[in-house]
Amino acid sequence: MFSLMSVGAATSGLAQDNPYDTTVDIRMGARLFQAECGRCHGLDGKGNDETGAPDLTNGSFRSASTDAGLFNVIRDGISGTTMVGISWAPDNRVWQVVAYVRSLNPQTGDYDLAGDADSGARLFRGKGECVTCHIVNGAGGRLGPDLSTIGNRRDPEELRIDLMDPNETVEPRWWTVKVVRADGSVITGSRMSEDTFTVRVMDDAENLWHFVKSDLRSLERVETSPMPSASDGLSASEIDDLVAYLFSLRKES
Ligand code: HEC
Ligand code: HEC
């Protein structure tokens, strides 16, 4: 569970989830798509047999599974094919195209959800205490990811796993650290950034700390999720309601 952090082991800064996926980003991405990609993939993204460019609307991609993977394909192209990419564009523009391509499959789909989204919304703000760590549409805490568009990124089954088993996958951004200062006092919180000599930490009260590593007695990292499993404290039907609510959080273009 705990492991010593090796000095200098800063992880790469490339986000795994798209930081530019608001409705406005999707619209900007659509414009760039139409200008740069439509001639091969079709203006609606449904592909074109003549150019060999595949349909991008069915929600799964041969060359990438994550947003970060799609980012790389769209920026760099696929070598040895006519798929060229837009490496000239700034990163935020590439992310906007990723958001647009994702939005082509809004999963409005045929899920038969047992839960009730309105009850889920109440649980999210009330008994579930989710809002203490998560923002939805501008309100909430920052100790976990913003969930305003989580329904675009996760299907109901994946959401259930996120809730029941938060440790299943924890991105480095959400690893926490335990800092022991020279005077013995302890600060724990999320690791906002780190380089060879310094580390920035946000504690549970959302205070930002900046430490010089050589001043510390120890620095440990905790790779498990700070999020409690929803199965401690919530019933199966309450979890169904939360899944229905989270899945309803989708932004369409
Ligand atoms: C000159 C034609 C052409 C242009 C322009 C083009 N593509 Fe492609 N694209 C292709 C072809 C052909 C492939 C299939 C490559 C292969 O064989 O793997 C492809 C593959 C892809 C894939 C991978 C699909 C998968 O299932 O893995 C994505 C995503 C993609 N293109 C997005 C874009 C975006 C976004 C743009 C505009 C920024 C763009 N493409 C511009 C021809 C093009
Ligand atoms: C103590 C803070 C905290 C609380 C309380 C909390 N979460 Fe989380 N949650 C996190 C953190 C941190 C992550 C990211 C790490 C991970 O994947 O577990 C996360 C991840 C998630 C994810 C996956 C999001 C993604 O983009 O991968 C979902 C969905 C989620 N939480 C929903 C909920 C719901 C619903 C509740 C209330 C029942 C809740 N959380 C309560 C901190 C919290």
Side-chain angles (χ1 to χ4, degrees), residues 15-99:
Q16 291 293 307
D17 284 330
N18 192 343
Y20 296 93
D21 63 357
T22 65
T23 316
V24 173
D25 291 318
I26 291 171
R27 217 177 297 136
M28 301 285 288
R31 240 178 266 162
L32 192 54
F33 185 92
Q34 275 139 23
E36 299 293 331
C37 326
R39 68 193 155 98
C40 293
H41 289 277
L43 287 177
D44 57 1
K46 287 194 183 298
N48 180 332
D49 289 340
E50 253 161 68
T51 61
D55 185 349
L56 302 175
T57 67
N58 56 26
S60 71
F61 302 94
R62 223 162 22 102
S63 57
S65 54
T66 60
D67 284 355
L70 266 185
F71 177 96
N72 289 333
V73 168
I74 292 171
R75 184 187 56 190
D76 303 333
I78 301 175
S79 64
T81 76
T82 53
M83 168 64 202
V84 284
I86 44 172
S87 54
W88 50 266
D91 283 3
N92 64 326
R93 302 286 283 144
V94 178
W95 281 120
Q96 288 172 334
V97 176
V98 172

Side-chain angles (χ1 to χ4, degrees), residues 177-181 185-189 201-203 207 209 211:
V177 288
K178 180 176 169 198
V179 169
V180 183
R181 292 194 283 187
S185 59
V186 175
I187 311 281
T188 54
V201 175
M202 185 169 74
D203 69 20
N207 300 308
W209 298 82
F211 299 109

Side-chain angles (χ1 to χ4, degrees), residues 17 123-124 128-134 143-147 150 153-154 158-159 162-163 165-171 174 224-228 230 234 242 246:
D17 284 330
L123 285 163
F124 191 86
E129 296 182 356
C130 319
V131 76
T132 58
C133 294
H134 292 287
L143 300 175
D146 185 324
L147 299 179
I150 187 74
R153 290 188 274 123
R154 290 281 203 281
E158 293 167 324
L159 286 169
D162 287 334
L163 297 193
D165 192 3
N167 291 324
E168 166 82 10
T169 47
V170 182
E171 286 175 13
W174 302 108
T224 50
S225 178
M227 172 165 152
L234 296 175
L242 280 168
L246 293 171

